[in-house]
Amino acid sequence: MEEAPLPQIEKGTFLIASPDIENGIFFRGVILICEHNASGSFGLLINKPLDLELPEEILNLNDITNPHVHMRAGGPVQTNQMMILHTHNETAAQTLNVCDGVYLGGDLQFLQEVIQDEAGPRILLCFGYAGWTAGQLEREFLDGSWYIYSASEKHIFHTPPEKLWRALLREMGGRYATLSMLPDDLSVN
C-alpha cells in the first residue's frame, strides 16, 4: 500500500491553527499562504474580522457601494499596512495569483474603483500579515502547530470567518473533524 504524501506548505494553501495554539491572534486562525520559498513565508490571516475607522483620504468607508468588501486582521506584522485580497483578475500586472480565482495586490486607484462597483469583486482588506524566516514555518508545522489544506476562493470569500476554522477541519475529515467540535474555551468542558 502506497503512503499518502506529506502535505506541502506552498502558495495557495491554508495554514489552520491546531488546538495547541490556545490564545493570541492565531487562536483558531486560518492563514492563506501567499508566498513560500527558501527565504521564508508570508501569509494573511483571513478569519479575524476587523472594525476600524480609516482616514478618509485613504478610503472613505461611506463611499463603499460594493457589498463584498470586508476587513480582516491580516496578522501581527506591520498592522498599519493594508493588503488587498480579491477576486478581480483584470489587474494581472499588479497582482499575485495566490490560488484559483484569488489575487493579492492592486493600487489605491484600483481599490477606489472596485469598492464603488455594486457588482464588484469580493475583497478582503487585510491589515498586517504573518511572516516566517527560512525554515521557521516548516518547524512550526512539524511541531504540530499548523495543519495544511488546499485554499479555495469558496472558503476565503464565502465561508463566514467565524465558521471557517471548524468548516475546514470538518472537511479534512477523520481526527480533524473531531477537533472541529472542541469548544473555544476548554475550561467549560
Side-chain angles (χ1 to χ4, degrees):
M1 187 167 137
E2 197 175 308
E3 282 191 41
L6 278 174
Q8 292 290 310
I9 301 170
E10 58 190 9
K11 178 174 73 171
T13 54
F14 283 134
L15 287 182
I16 303 163
S18 82
D20 294 341
I21 298 177
E22 296 177 344
N23 51 38
I25 193 167
F26 296 128
F27 174 74
R28 305 275 164 111
V30 176
I31 297 172
L32 174 63
I33 295 296
C34 299
E35 193 61 60
H36 178 75
N37 57 43
S39 303
S41 307
F42 148 74
L44 296 171
L45 191 58
I46 60 165
N47 68 327
K48 304 289 177 166
L50 259 186
D51 184 21
L52 54 93
E53 293 293 319
L54 297 173
E56 282 188 26
E57 59 273 8
I58 293 176
L59 185 65
N60 187 341
L61 296 178
N62 298 324
D63 288 347
I64 296 178
T65 53
N66 179 341
H68 309 295
V69 177
H70 303 282
M71 288 192 271
R72 299 287 187 267
V77 182
Q78 293 186 358
T79 56
N80 60 342
Q81 182 177 355
M82 179 178 73
M83 293 187 216
I84 309 167
L85 198 61
H86 57 87
T87 58
H88 192 275
N89 67 350
E90 294 174 25
T91 55
Q94 309 172 1
T95 61
L96 172 70
N97 182 215
V98 179
C99 65
D100 194 30
V102 179
Y103 305 88
L104 175 66
D107 60 17
L108 211 47
Q109 180 181 345
F110 161 75
L111 183 59
Q112 293 293 352
E113 289 171 11
V114 296
I115 65 169
Q116 294 174 6
D117 180 355
E118 287 182 32
R122 296 188 177 276
I123 298 172
L124 293 182
L125 301 176
C126 299
F127 291 84
Y129 65 91
W132 295 266
T133 58
Q136 182 184 4
L137 182 54
E138 288 85 351
R139 285 190 301 278
E140 290 181 16
F141 171 69
L142 292 172
D143 287 344
S145 296
W146 302 103
Y147 307 129
I148 299 172
Y149 194 62
S150 290
S152 69
E153 176 193 346
K154 175 187 117 187
H155 284 306
I156 295 167
F157 295 104
H158 300 279
T159 303
E162 68 279 1
K163 295 181 178 181
L164 185 58
W165 185 82
R166 283 188 166 89
L168 292 173
L169 289 174
R170 271 195 305 276
E171 214 171 273
M172 290 170 72
R175 72 181 187 97
Y176 302 106
T178 304
L179 292 172
S180 77
M181 295 183 271
L182 288 172
D184 285 348
D185 185 355
L186 293 177
S187 67
V188 297
N189 204 0

